[in-house]
Amino acid sequence: MIPSERGLLLRRRLLSGVDMLMSVLATVFAVLFLGWLLWGVVTRGVSALNLALFTESTPGAGIDGGGLANAIVGSFLMTGAGIVLAALIGILAAVWLVEMAPGGALARAIRFFNDVLLAGPSIIAGVFVYGVLVRPMGHFSGWAGAAALAVVALPVVVSTACAALELVPGSLREASAALGAPRWRTTLQVVLRASRSGILTGLLLATARIFGEAAPLLFTSLGNNFFTWNMNQPVAGLPQVLYLFATGPYDNWHQLAWAGALVSTAVVLGLLVIARLVSRHHD
Amino acid sequence: MARVLTGTAELASTPASAPAEVGDRLFGLGTGGFALLVLGLMLAILAFLFAGALPALRQFGWHFFVSSEWNPVSGEFGAASSILGTLATSLVALVVAVPVSFGVAVFLNVLCPHWLRRPVGVAVELLAGIPSVIYGIWGLFVFAPLFADRIQPALTDWFGGLPLVGGLFDGPPIGLGWGVAGFVLGVMVIPFIAAVMRDVLATVPRHLIESAYALGATHREVIWNVLVPSTRRGLAGGIILGLGRALGETMAVTFLVGNAHNVTFSLFEPGNTIASTIANEFSEASGDLHVSVLIALGFTLFAITIVVLSVANAMLRRSARKEAAA
């Protein structure tokens, strides 16, 4: 090999090495950021953890102590109601899109709008539900919050359920049809059963998504410093309490915000881990 | 084979299958109703936003979009600062997120040893799963102070004196503004862009890559001469998808942008975005016009998002079709 050629090769390898280094650094940056974020939430959150967090309600302005019991319960109530509503509509809609009218113009249009809804700003859900539920009813309520969360969860459920249904092999449907089962029976007893872990994974992802959503709750459930099971009145949601308390001027509010950040991060990450286990179990 | 086929045909035409057909039709109608509900919801949102925005648009006309006047007391509202802030923070986010996302996607596709692929993939997924409000709190208490004390003075020192771009890096060291909000927004959209880029890069046929290596190409040459040219459209689709996310992100930005109706050209001055303005002012809006103005902002944001997403989807679909043809 003549020297200049060797020099060229060296240069190419060096340049390549620089690019590879950048790529590794980019990955390290992303992973480190996750670590930094989690580290901050865990260290500051743990030091603010105590029993009162789960037994006492959120304190008003300037009042010492307090906990997050009302917000934690409120979040579970609204998330639960929201996901049930979204699951009912979303799974049946996905069944129609994949099983009944695949490839049709209407189905394609619905899928497009679902994609828009999926990536659309979640605060729009809050504004919309304020307009169609809160203003007509005349008051903020837990149901309105749940409805806004359902609007956020619905497109996630539809798209993940569609993906799960599409994974079911056509031969399974044909086998069922060959045994004389009508379409609806095939869908309910064969296709849905075969795709249930995929659909469940989607529901878990949607739950994780809406459990941490603050924006849709700001003008729908509003928040409430008192403990309540009554979804007909304003209800505190954990993420929206975090927003209020973190931007407020009081030290104990900041403490509670960190503790709440830890609790909601733990719940969301827990849901994501369960979702992964469910989908992996099936593979 | 032929016998089986006639058998099915006979089966389908026997009277016994008539109830099954009714059942199928009912099932189709029932599930179809729910599918239409999804479409109806979307149309209802659009109709509601448009109808709610009308009073504001009637009052101010197109002037609404270019005026930066914002005075709830005298009833003067202009959307310019919010729209500008939305675009500026999203642009900063892309500047941060695009190179990093591409690096992550290349790492996962080209460099990553097999055993590391899963953990890195999971870490990036978790980055996407952490709620926006958590990014906000962390940004406000951990990142913004650090940014104000260390990073911002350094940036002002390095770039503040430059002509043209110097003004970008001028401002009070409070750690709130377009720059910080955009940066955190960038970290938030990395997982979305990286996931699309990773999938797009993975569609390049194995034999193309291997023939390039066989010709003696280095990693760098494979990436820039094989992977990128053959996936250009899909990569762009991923970036635009990330842009769509960044435009509508609310909570983290509301924490960090400073929330001032401010037309500024500095990354370090407090500003606002469409989403942060709605989040801040909607529940305490002073009067019907103010509410209508905020809904008009929401309509604008939703319209921008729809356009951006349509472009992203079209690009991703076209890139997928090209792959299918190849």
Side-chain angles (χ1 to χ4, degrees), chain B residues 204-221:
Chain B
V204 176
R206 207 60 232 170
H207 60 259
L208 261 183
I209 301 170
E210 263 150 34
S211 25
Y213 280 125
L215 290 173
T218 61
H219 282 317
R220 175 198 175 94
E221 286 152 358

Side-chain angles (χ1 to χ4, degrees), chain B residues 2-30:
Chain B
R3 240 191 89 162
V4 175
L5 280 178
T6 31
T8 344
E10 271 162 24
L11 200 69
S13 61
T14 49
S17 69
E21 256 173 46
V22 173
D24 277 352
R25 193 158 305 155
L26 281 179
F27 189 67
L29 282 176

Side-chain angles (χ1 to χ4, degrees), chain A residues 102-117:
Chain A
L106 185 60
R108 275 207 310 264
I110 292 174
R111 280 191 173 208
F112 171 76
F113 282 124
N114 191 66
D115 282 348
V116 173
L117 219 49

